[in-house]
Amino acid sequence: MTTLRDVANHAGVSVSTVSRVVNGKEYVSERARQRVMEAIEALQYQPNLLAQSLATGKETKQLGLLVYDISNSYFAEITMAFESIAYQHGYTVILCNTAEGTKTLKYLDMFIQRKTDGVAIVGSEMGKEEVGRLEMLLDRGVPIVIAREKGWSVNPLTDALGDRTGVVEFDTREGARMAIEFLISQGHRRIGGLFSIPKKGLWQNRRALGYRSALEAHGIPVDERLLVTDLNTSKSAGLMGMGELLRRNVDCTAVFVYNDLMAMGALSCCQRMGVRVPEDLSIVSMDDTEDSLYTNPPLTSVRIPRKEQGEFMANYLLARIQGGHPPSYLQLHVQLSLRESASTVGDKNMFRRISNETS
Amino acid sequence: MTTLRDVANHAGVSVSTVSRVVNGKEYVSERARQRVMEAIEALQYQPNLLAQSLATGKETKQLGLLVYDISNSYFAEITMAFESIAYQHGYTVILCNTAEGTKTLKYLDMFIQRKTDGVAIVGSEMGKEEVGRLEMLLDRGVPIVIAREKGWSVNPLTDALGDRTGVVEFDTREGARMAIEFLISQGHRRIGGLFSIPKKGLWQNRRALGYRSALEAHGIPVDERLLVTDLNTSKSAGLMGMGELLRRNVDCTAVFVYNDLMAMGALSCCQRMGVRVPEDLSIVSMDDTEDSLYTNPPLTSVRIPRKEQGEFMANYLLARIQGGHPPSYLQLHVQLSLRESASTVGDKNMFRRISNETS
DNA sequence: CATGTTTCTGGGAACGCTTGCAAGTTCTCT
DNA sequence: AGAGAACTTGCAAGCGTTCCCAGAAACATG
């Protein structure tokens, strides 16, 4: 491997001079610069970034990105935006998929050991230990930025880290409320819910709270039988959850689904069961990923901006690394994207229809 | 920042001893080990991986992964499998999205500079310069593994690198042939094609070749008017391509689509245009991503194993890094996953139907 | 020509770690 | 008890950079 020294020898100058040339510093004669350039070319010299950051003790030009599940296009789009900004500034991103919960802690340790310049966290669960590592990172001056649902009270992050991290928030409670509000405005009264959360924690969840508060605002009682929960947030979870709801035979005319991924599963279930969407059943969900444009029918979904999330996170970290004081908080606007999966309540009740058919 | 030296001072031993403890080497007394452990605990010591790999000159425990587009779940699933294996072996992965073509070269330089232990490439275009960098990596002993379509002749990679890299291949030509063969067996004779390749390079493309050879095998002439090409491979490209095909009014009864992403767009187009799939038009595509299970109707698609791809690539690199000689070639089996988007040719011809309606 | 400035250049100490070496310590076996 | 083997330990030289510092060279000024 060719090193600075090799280049120096080849060019007949000292190591320091080569270093100056490589880093574009002043105080190098044109003659020397020329010869060094030639040597670099001849020897195919590439600087050793490891040695470089060791010596400077400053930047490693690496950013860590913790996402819950890259195969979910919600996260994939955030990742893309993040990577794109990082790249533009000469930073490299270390990707970590945290769906398998135990990985988070190890990855945080990795970040510390690798002297990562900044860490972005989106949708990953943090336990006590993990938060400890985050504090360690903060103490070492490594900026952290977190994307999260507003008021995510179950997560101890908020309290422990205070305002030392950057935060992008989006109000999923408000989003869910808007979605339900819309359904109510379309005449729906019996509205089911498909949530991806532990049953017992249901009313800790922002989306569930939004669901409830919209109903309550209209004097509609919450019917527990209309609620299905699953621990996963995947297409198959949506498929099974919807199946469960249909099986319960609880004549509802609309369903709120936790996210697009699950909604795709739910849609698929409806199709298999001969339930027409939206004629027999309206569906609204959250995320508004690109996928939701291409389902059949296209999903009415609450838009949570993703590109903005990724970009804010990357920009925040980069600014902090350069010693700046960028705004550390961003609240993203959620809004309902109206498409075809939800409509005015029909006169037919599909649950009755199904039960007639099957019984 | 606490260093080895700090720990040594705190424990009252030498730096070397601490190093030995940290690396679990033999020849350390129980007493010393104990004290060092305590010091590490007390000082929250975390080794500096940069210094470590600089000193050893060996592994950096980082793998580079170049994928074309993470937001495409085909690539996302490969990425997940790759990351998962890497993680299990204590490796970290640097993710690069190469859809914006110019990034590839810079990333390869990064890999060299960061002393990345291995590089995996999937679906990224390589020009002359890029191949040069790959050779540079190989010369430095960095293993490389590439996932690609079998016989991808346009790509200069094959020739230049010879058999110095690991390769996972899948025969997309055979896949396309199977798909068309299936359509023919279902009575289809006029079969359209939606390809994501430059028009002029069409017959260089393996999928297109498979399409053609299947038709030829049955004495069906290729009708250029049934072929639409687009440079992108995205849902919207599929949407537009399908639109174009329908507009041409070229009564075909089935369409072969380049990949699932485009097929989703095509499906969406059909739905908007009132073309029923598969009653009016059969669709088959390639990739068989998880998405294809959840479209409406679910897509009949040629399965290209993704998890296996990611795993092979990671395992190959890891084995090579450890000095092993793993099998450097894997041919993945493609097979047709039959679902509902393709069926026996109907008696109705939807193109005629549409033109009747619209004219 | 002596002196002061400015521009260039190389030496060498650091960065945090590993590792070969040699000296010191403890065992083990006669 | 003594010799050799086996175990512990610390020293110091790297790994490839950066960067401070001091000295050399070039130029300007009186």
Side-chain angles (χ1 to χ4, degrees), chain B residues 55-84:
Chain B
T56 60
K58 286 183 208 146
E59 304 178 3
T60 55
K61 297 272 180 185
Q62 284 201 311
L63 263 24
L65 176 62
L66 249 41
V67 299
Y68 182 72
D69 173 16
I70 349 161
S71 70
N72 178 337
S73 49
Y74 176 79
F75 294 108
E77 289 175 35
I78 293 175
T79 303
M80 271 189 87
F82 188 86
E83 187 263 1
S84 176

PDB file of all heavy atoms in Angstrom, chain B residues 55-84:
ATOM      1  N   ALA B  55      -3.206   0.242  13.787  1.00  0.00           N
ATOM      2  CA  ALA B  55      -2.086  -0.466  14.398  1.00  0.00           C
ATOM      3  C   ALA B  55      -1.932  -1.875  13.839  1.00  0.00           C
ATOM      4  O   ALA B  55      -0.831  -2.323  13.539  1.00  0.00           O
ATOM      5  CB  ALA B  55      -2.272  -0.523  15.909  1.00  0.00           C
ATOM      6  N   THR B  56      -3.023  -2.562  13.706  1.00  0.00           N
ATOM      7  CA  THR B  56      -2.928  -3.935  13.221  1.00  0.00           C
ATOM      8  C   THR B  56      -2.719  -3.969  11.717  1.00  0.00           C
ATOM      9  O   THR B  56      -2.157  -4.922  11.194  1.00  0.00           O
ATOM     10  CB  THR B  56      -4.199  -4.741  13.526  1.00  0.00           C
ATOM     11  OG1 THR B  56      -5.290  -4.103  12.879  1.00  0.00           O
ATOM     12  CG2 THR B  56      -4.478  -4.795  14.996  1.00  0.00           C
ATOM     13  N   GLY B  57      -3.235  -2.940  11.044  1.00  0.00           N
ATOM     14  CA  GLY B  57      -3.119  -2.948   9.593  1.00  0.00           C
ATOM     15  C   GLY B  57      -3.985  -4.007   8.972  1.00  0.00           C
ATOM     16  O   GLY B  57      -3.898  -4.288   7.791  1.00  0.00           O
ATOM     17  N   LYS B  58      -4.815  -4.604   9.797  1.00  0.00           N
ATOM     18  CA  LYS B  58      -5.668  -5.659   9.260  1.00  0.00           C
ATOM     19  C   LYS B  58      -7.080  -5.139   9.066  1.00  0.00           C
ATOM     20  O   LYS B  58      -7.310  -4.188   8.356  1.00  0.00           O
ATOM     21  CB  LYS B  58      -5.654  -6.866  10.195  1.00  0.00           C
ATOM     22  CG  LYS B  58      -4.352  -7.643  10.103  1.00  0.00           C
ATOM     23  CD  LYS B  58      -4.440  -8.879  11.010  1.00  0.00           C
ATOM     24  CE  LYS B  58      -3.035  -9.258  11.487  1.00  0.00           C
ATOM     25  NZ  LYS B  58      -3.039  -9.797  12.837  1.00  0.00           N
ATOM     26  N   GLU B  59      -7.996  -5.772   9.699  1.00  0.00           N
ATOM     27  CA  GLU B  59      -9.399  -5.493   9.459  1.00  0.00           C
ATOM     28  C   GLU B  59      -9.871  -4.150   9.997  1.00  0.00           C
ATOM     29  O   GLU B  59      -9.448  -3.700  11.054  1.00  0.00           O
ATOM     30  CB  GLU B  59     -10.244  -6.589  10.104  1.00  0.00           C
ATOM     31  CG  GLU B  59      -9.870  -7.962   9.614  1.00  0.00           C
ATOM     32  CD  GLU B  59     -10.680  -9.019  10.303  1.00  0.00           C
ATOM     33  OE1 GLU B  59     -11.560  -8.676  11.109  1.00  0.00           O
ATOM     34  OE2 GLU B  59     -10.432 -10.196  10.043  1.00  0.00           O
ATOM     35  N   THR B  60     -10.790  -3.570   9.238  1.00  0.00           N
ATOM     36  CA  THR B  60     -11.475  -2.381   9.737  1.00  0.00           C
ATOM     37  C   THR B  60     -12.898  -2.735  10.128  1.00  0.00           C
ATOM     38  O   THR B  60     -13.637  -1.906  10.613  1.00  0.00           O
ATOM     39  CB  THR B  60     -11.538  -1.286   8.663  1.00  0.00           C
ATOM     40  OG1 THR B  60     -12.154  -1.824   7.494  1.00  0.00           O
ATOM     41  CG2 THR B  60     -10.153  -0.787   8.319  1.00  0.00           C
ATOM     42  N   LYS B  61     -13.251  -3.974   9.842  1.00  0.00           N
ATOM     43  CA  LYS B  61     -14.595  -4.458  10.187  1.00  0.00           C
ATOM     44  C   LYS B  61     -15.700  -3.649   9.519  1.00  0.00           C
ATOM     45  O   LYS B  61     -16.736  -3.383  10.106  1.00  0.00           O
ATOM     46  CB  LYS B  61     -14.780  -4.424  11.712  1.00  0.00           C
ATOM     47  CG  LYS B  61     -13.836  -5.335  12.457  1.00  0.00           C
ATOM     48  CD  LYS B  61     -14.411  -6.709  12.592  1.00  0.00           C
ATOM     49  CE  LYS B  61     -13.475  -7.638  13.330  1.00  0.00           C
ATOM     50  NZ  LYS B  61     -14.010  -9.010  13.333  1.00  0.00           N
ATOM     51  N   GLN B  62     -15.388  -3.201   8.322  1.00  0.00           N
ATOM     52  CA  GLN B  62     -16.413  -2.487   7.578  1.00  0.00           C
ATOM     53  C   GLN B  62     -16.565  -3.074   6.189  1.00  0.00           C
ATOM     54  O   GLN B  62     -15.573  -3.401   5.537  1.00  0.00           O
ATOM     55  CB  GLN B  62     -16.039  -1.010   7.451  1.00  0.00           C
ATOM     56  CG  GLN B  62     -16.276  -0.246   8.730  1.00  0.00           C
ATOM     57  CD  GLN B  62     -16.407   1.231   8.477  1.00  0.00           C
ATOM     58  OE1 GLN B  62     -15.584   1.824   7.794  1.00  0.00           O
ATOM     59  NE2 GLN B  62     -17.443   1.830   9.018  1.00  0.00           N
ATOM     60  N   LEU B  63     -17.797  -3.168   5.759  1.00  0.00           N
ATOM     61  CA  LEU B  63     -18.097  -3.670   4.430  1.00  0.00           C
ATOM     62  C   LEU B  63     -18.836  -2.589   3.658  1.00  0.00           C
ATOM     63  O   LEU B  63     -19.692  -1.899   4.214  1.00  0.00           O
ATOM     64  CB  LEU B  63     -19.008  -4.895   4.539  1.00  0.00           C
ATOM     65  CG  LEU B  63     -18.448  -6.307   4.503  1.00  0.00           C
ATOM     66  CD1 LEU B  63     -17.002  -6.387   4.933  1.00  0.00           C
ATOM     67  CD2 LEU B  63     -19.306  -7.251   5.318  1.00  0.00           C
ATOM     68  N   GLY B  64     -18.502  -2.431   2.406  1.00  0.00           N
ATOM     69  CA  GLY B  64     -19.212  -1.451   1.589  1.00  0.00           C
ATOM     70  C   GLY B  64     -20.296  -2.132   0.778  1.00  0.00           C
ATOM     71  O   GLY B  64     -20.081  -3.217   0.266  1.00  0.00           O
ATOM     72  N   LEU B  65     -21.434  -1.510   0.718  1.00  0.00           N
ATOM     73  CA  LEU B  65     -22.522  -2.084  -0.080  1.00  0.00           C
ATOM     74  C   LEU B  65     -23.068  -1.034  -1.040  1.00  0.00           C
ATOM     75  O   LEU B  65     -23.560   0.008  -0.628  1.00  0.00           O
ATOM     76  CB  LEU B  65     -23.643  -2.573   0.840  1.00  0.00           C
ATOM     77  CG  LEU B  65     -24.894  -3.115   0.150  1.00  0.00           C
ATOM     78  CD1 LEU B  65     -24.592  -4.333  -0.692  1.00  0.00           C
ATOM     79  CD2 LEU B  65     -25.969  -3.443   1.178  1.00  0.00           C
ATOM     80  N   LEU B  66     -22.932  -1.344  -2.301  1.00  0.00           N
ATOM     81  CA  LEU B  66     -23.424  -0.445  -3.344  1.00  0.00           C
ATOM     82  C   LEU B  66     -24.719  -1.011  -3.894  1.00  0.00           C
ATOM     83  O   LEU B  66     -24.711  -2.070  -4.509  1.00  0.00           O
ATOM     84  CB  LEU B  66     -22.401  -0.440  -4.481  1.00  0.00           C
ATOM     85  CG  LEU B  66     -21.552   0.769  -4.814  1.00  0.00           C
ATOM     86  CD1 LEU B  66     -21.066   1.446  -3.551  1.00  0.00           C
ATOM     87  CD2 LEU B  66     -20.364   0.364  -5.673  1.00  0.00           C
ATOM     88  N   VAL B  67     -25.817  -0.334  -3.672  1.00  0.00           N
ATOM     89  CA  VAL B  67     -27.062  -0.802  -4.289  1.00  0.00           C
ATOM     90  C   VAL B  67     -27.636   0.302  -5.162  1.00  0.00           C
ATOM     91  O   VAL B  67     -27.360   1.476  -4.965  1.00  0.00           O
ATOM     92  CB  VAL B  67     -28.134  -1.221  -3.260  1.00  0.00           C
ATOM     93  CG1 VAL B  67     -27.638  -2.351  -2.406  1.00  0.00           C
ATOM     94  CG2 VAL B  67     -28.548  -0.045  -2.414  1.00  0.00           C
ATOM     95  N   TYR B  68     -28.437  -0.118  -6.098  1.00  0.00           N
ATOM     96  CA  TYR B  68     -28.919   0.848  -7.058  1.00  0.00           C
ATOM     97  C   TYR B  68     -29.970   1.771  -6.463  1.00  0.00           C
ATOM     98  O   TYR B  68     -29.969   2.965  -6.673  1.00  0.00           O
ATOM     99  CB  TYR B  68     -29.484   0.123  -8.275  1.00  0.00           C
ATOM    100  CG  TYR B  68     -29.963   1.057  -9.344  1.00  0.00           C
ATOM    101  CD1 TYR B  68     -29.049   1.766 -10.098  1.00  0.00           C
ATOM    102  CD2 TYR B  68     -31.331   1.259  -9.572  1.00  0.00           C
ATOM    103  CE1 TYR B  68     -29.483   2.648 -11.077  1.00  0.00           C
ATOM    104  CE2 TYR B  68     -31.761   2.139 -10.546  1.00  0.00           C
ATOM    105  CZ  TYR B  68     -30.830   2.828 -11.287  1.00  0.00           C
ATOM    106  OH  TYR B  68     -31.255   3.717 -12.239  1.00  0.00           O
ATOM    107  N   ASP B  69     -30.868   1.212  -5.691  1.00  0.00           N
ATOM    108  CA  ASP B  69     -31.989   2.010  -5.197  1.00  0.00           C
ATOM    109  C   ASP B  69     -32.629   1.358  -3.975  1.00  0.00           C
ATOM    110  O   ASP B  69     -33.403   0.419  -4.111  1.00  0.00           O
ATOM    111  CB  ASP B  69     -33.022   2.159  -6.330  1.00  0.00           C
ATOM    112  CG  ASP B  69     -34.299   2.837  -5.870  1.00  0.00           C
ATOM    113  OD1 ASP B  69     -34.304   3.449  -4.795  1.00  0.00           O
ATOM    114  OD2 ASP B  69     -35.311   2.760  -6.598  1.00  0.00           O
ATOM    115  N   ILE B  70     -32.302   1.869  -2.809  1.00  0.00           N
ATOM    116  CA  ILE B  70     -32.823   1.221  -1.594  1.00  0.00           C
ATOM    117  C   ILE B  70     -34.324   1.325  -1.464  1.00  0.00           C
ATOM    118  O   ILE B  70     -34.927   0.574  -0.738  1.00  0.00           O
ATOM    119  CB  ILE B  70     -32.301   1.842  -0.272  1.00  0.00           C
ATOM    120  CG1 ILE B  70     -31.176   2.785  -0.539  1.00  0.00           C
ATOM    121  CG2 ILE B  70     -31.954   0.760   0.718  1.00  0.00           C
ATOM    122  CD1 ILE B  70     -30.957   3.708   0.605  1.00  0.00           C
ATOM    123  N   SER B  71     -34.918   2.302  -2.100  1.00  0.00           N
ATOM    124  CA  SER B  71     -36.359   2.430  -1.914  1.00  0.00           C
ATOM    125  C   SER B  71     -37.111   1.388  -2.741  1.00  0.00           C
ATOM    126  O   SER B  71     -38.313   1.238  -2.610  1.00  0.00           O
ATOM    127  CB  SER B  71     -36.830   3.846  -2.247  1.00  0.00           C
ATOM    128  OG  SER B  71     -36.741   4.063  -3.624  1.00  0.00           O
ATOM    129  N   ASN B  72     -36.387   0.666  -3.562  1.00  0.00           N
ATOM    130  CA  ASN B  72     -36.971  -0.463  -4.281  1.00  0.00           C
ATOM    131  C   ASN B  72     -36.840  -1.676  -3.373  1.00  0.00           C
ATOM    132  O   ASN B  72     -35.743  -2.049  -2.979  1.00  0.00           O
ATOM    133  CB  ASN B  72     -36.201  -0.667  -5.584  1.00  0.00           C
ATOM    134  CG  ASN B  72     -36.710  -1.864  -6.374  1.00  0.00           C
ATOM    135  OD1 ASN B  72     -37.321  -2.779  -5.838  1.00  0.00           O
ATOM    136  ND2 ASN B  72     -36.446  -1.838  -7.663  1.00  0.00           N
ATOM    137  N   SER B  73     -37.958  -2.312  -3.060  1.00  0.00           N
ATOM    138  CA  SER B  73     -37.860  -3.344  -2.031  1.00  0.00           C
ATOM    139  C   SER B  73     -37.029  -4.535  -2.479  1.00  0.00           C
ATOM    140  O   SER B  73     -36.539  -5.298  -1.656  1.00  0.00           O
ATOM    141  CB  SER B  73     -39.228  -3.783  -1.509  1.00  0.00           C
ATOM    142  OG  SER B  73     -40.093  -4.061  -2.553  1.00  0.00           O
ATOM    143  N   TYR B  74     -36.852  -4.669  -3.778  1.00  0.00           N
ATOM    144  CA  TYR B  74     -35.953  -5.720  -4.254  1.00  0.00           C
ATOM    145  C   TYR B  74     -34.574  -5.513  -3.632  1.00  0.00           C
ATOM    146  O   TYR B  74     -33.988  -6.416  -3.044  1.00  0.00           O
ATOM    147  CB  TYR B  74     -35.863  -5.657  -5.785  1.00  0.00           C
ATOM    148  CG  TYR B  74     -34.888  -6.621  -6.393  1.00  0.00           C
ATOM    149  CD1 TYR B  74     -35.218  -7.952  -6.564  1.00  0.00           C
ATOM    150  CD2 TYR B  74     -33.627  -6.191  -6.785  1.00  0.00           C
ATOM    151  CE1 TYR B  74     -34.323  -8.837  -7.128  1.00  0.00           C
ATOM    152  CE2 TYR B  74     -32.714  -7.074  -7.355  1.00  0.00           C
ATOM    153  CZ  TYR B  74     -33.074  -8.394  -7.516  1.00  0.00           C
ATOM    154  OH  TYR B  74     -32.182  -9.264  -8.068  1.00  0.00           O
ATOM    155  N   PHE B  75     -34.067  -4.316  -3.730  1.00  0.00           N
ATOM    156  CA  PHE B  75     -32.756  -4.010  -3.173  1.00  0.00           C
ATOM    157  C   PHE B  75     -32.781  -3.947  -1.650  1.00  0.00           C
ATOM    158  O   PHE B  75     -31.831  -4.338  -0.982  1.00  0.00           O
ATOM    159  CB  PHE B  75     -32.238  -2.689  -3.741  1.00  0.00           C
ATOM    160  CG  PHE B  75     -31.959  -2.745  -5.212  1.00  0.00           C
ATOM    161  CD1 PHE B  75     -32.779  -2.106  -6.121  1.00  0.00           C
ATOM    162  CD2 PHE B  75     -30.885  -3.471  -5.694  1.00  0.00           C
ATOM    163  CE1 PHE B  75     -32.530  -2.175  -7.486  1.00  0.00           C
ATOM    164  CE2 PHE B  75     -30.630  -3.553  -7.060  1.00  0.00           C
ATOM    165  CZ  PHE B  75     -31.461  -2.897  -7.962  1.00  0.00           C
ATOM    166  N   ALA B  76     -33.889  -3.445  -1.133  1.00  0.00           N
ATOM    167  CA  ALA B  76     -33.989  -3.333   0.317  1.00  0.00           C
ATOM    168  C   ALA B  76     -33.866  -4.702   0.976  1.00  0.00           C
ATOM    169  O   ALA B  76     -33.202  -4.859   1.992  1.00  0.00           O
ATOM    170  CB  ALA B  76     -35.306  -2.671   0.710  1.00  0.00           C
ATOM    171  N   GLU B  77     -34.476  -5.694   0.337  1.00  0.00           N
ATOM    172  CA  GLU B  77     -34.432  -7.023   0.949  1.00  0.00           C
ATOM    173  C   GLU B  77     -33.024  -7.626   0.869  1.00  0.00           C
ATOM    174  O   GLU B  77     -32.580  -8.303   1.783  1.00  0.00           O
ATOM    175  CB  GLU B  77     -35.473  -7.939   0.296  1.00  0.00           C
ATOM    176  CG  GLU B  77     -36.890  -7.534   0.706  1.00  0.00           C
ATOM    177  CD  GLU B  77     -37.969  -8.332  -0.022  1.00  0.00           C
ATOM    178  OE1 GLU B  77     -37.749  -9.525  -0.285  1.00  0.00           O
ATOM    179  OE2 GLU B  77     -39.032  -7.755  -0.322  1.00  0.00           O
ATOM    180  N   ILE B  78     -32.348  -7.351  -0.220  1.00  0.00           N
ATOM    181  CA  ILE B  78     -30.964  -7.805  -0.328  1.00  0.00           C
ATOM    182  C   ILE B  78     -30.127  -7.111   0.750  1.00  0.00           C
ATOM    183  O   ILE B  78     -29.338  -7.741   1.457  1.00  0.00           O
ATOM    184  CB  ILE B  78     -30.386  -7.471  -1.716  1.00  0.00           C
ATOM    185  CG1 ILE B  78     -31.100  -8.294  -2.785  1.00  0.00           C
ATOM    186  CG2 ILE B  78     -28.886  -7.744  -1.747  1.00  0.00           C
ATOM    187  CD1 ILE B  78     -30.679  -7.962  -4.206  1.00  0.00           C
ATOM    188  N   THR B  79     -30.345  -5.830   0.875  1.00  0.00           N
ATOM    189  CA  THR B  79     -29.617  -5.054   1.871  1.00  0.00           C
ATOM    190  C   THR B  79     -29.816  -5.601   3.272  1.00  0.00           C
ATOM    191  O   THR B  79     -28.868  -5.754   4.040  1.00  0.00           O
ATOM    192  CB  THR B  79     -30.081  -3.583   1.832  1.00  0.00           C
ATOM    193  OG1 THR B  79     -29.892  -3.070   0.517  1.00  0.00           O
ATOM    194  CG2 THR B  79     -29.297  -2.742   2.830  1.00  0.00           C
ATOM    195  N   MET B  80     -31.068  -5.900   3.593  1.00  0.00           N
ATOM    196  CA  MET B  80     -31.351  -6.418   4.929  1.00  0.00           C
ATOM    197  C   MET B  80     -30.601  -7.705   5.200  1.00  0.00           C
ATOM    198  O   MET B  80     -30.003  -7.883   6.253  1.00  0.00           O
ATOM    199  CB  MET B  80     -32.839  -6.690   5.078  1.00  0.00           C
ATOM    200  CG  MET B  80     -33.614  -5.511   5.561  1.00  0.00           C
ATOM    201  SD  MET B  80     -35.300  -6.007   5.964  1.00  0.00           S
ATOM    202  CE  MET B  80     -35.084  -6.528   7.665  1.00  0.00           C
ATOM    203  N   ALA B  81     -30.652  -8.619   4.239  1.00  0.00           N
ATOM    204  CA  ALA B  81     -29.991  -9.904   4.428  1.00  0.00           C
ATOM    205  C   ALA B  81     -28.486  -9.689   4.598  1.00  0.00           C
ATOM    206  O   ALA B  81     -27.855 -10.284   5.471  1.00  0.00           O
ATOM    207  CB  ALA B  81     -30.265 -10.818   3.240  1.00  0.00           C
ATOM    208  N   PHE B  82     -27.953  -8.818   3.802  1.00  0.00           N
ATOM    209  CA  PHE B  82     -26.523  -8.533   3.848  1.00  0.00           C
ATOM    210  C   PHE B  82     -26.136  -7.944   5.207  1.00  0.00           C
ATOM    211  O   PHE B  82     -25.197  -8.400   5.863  1.00  0.00           O
ATOM    212  CB  PHE B  82     -26.182  -7.540   2.730  1.00  0.00           C
ATOM    213  CG  PHE B  82     -24.713  -7.292   2.545  1.00  0.00           C
ATOM    214  CD1 PHE B  82     -23.942  -8.123   1.744  1.00  0.00           C
ATOM    215  CD2 PHE B  82     -24.096  -6.209   3.163  1.00  0.00           C
ATOM    216  CE1 PHE B  82     -22.587  -7.888   1.559  1.00  0.00           C
ATOM    217  CE2 PHE B  82     -22.743  -5.968   2.991  1.00  0.00           C
ATOM    218  CZ  PHE B  82     -21.989  -6.810   2.187  1.00  0.00           C
ATOM    219  N   GLU B  83     -26.895  -6.954   5.610  1.00  0.00           N
ATOM    220  CA  GLU B  83     -26.593  -6.282   6.877  1.00  0.00           C
ATOM    221  C   GLU B  83     -26.689  -7.260   8.041  1.00  0.00           C
ATOM    222  O   GLU B  83     -25.875  -7.233   8.967  1.00  0.00           O
ATOM    223  CB  GLU B  83     -27.566  -5.111   7.086  1.00  0.00           C
ATOM    224  CG  GLU B  83     -27.259  -4.221   8.267  1.00  0.00           C
ATOM    225  CD  GLU B  83     -28.059  -4.562   9.500  1.00  0.00           C
ATOM    226  OE1 GLU B  83     -28.874  -5.524   9.491  1.00  0.00           O
ATOM    227  OE2 GLU B  83     -27.887  -3.875  10.508  1.00  0.00           O
ATOM    228  N   SER B  84     -27.677  -8.117   7.958  1.00  0.00           N
ATOM    229  CA  SER B  84     -27.896  -9.046   9.049  1.00  0.00           C
ATOM    230  C   SER B  84     -26.701  -9.985   9.240  1.00  0.00           C
ATOM    231  O   SER B  84     -26.210 -10.165  10.360  1.00  0.00           O
ATOM    232  CB  SER B  84     -29.171  -9.847   8.762  1.00  0.00           C
ATOM    233  OG  SER B  84     -29.359 -10.820   9.743  1.00  0.00           O
TER     234      SER B  84
END
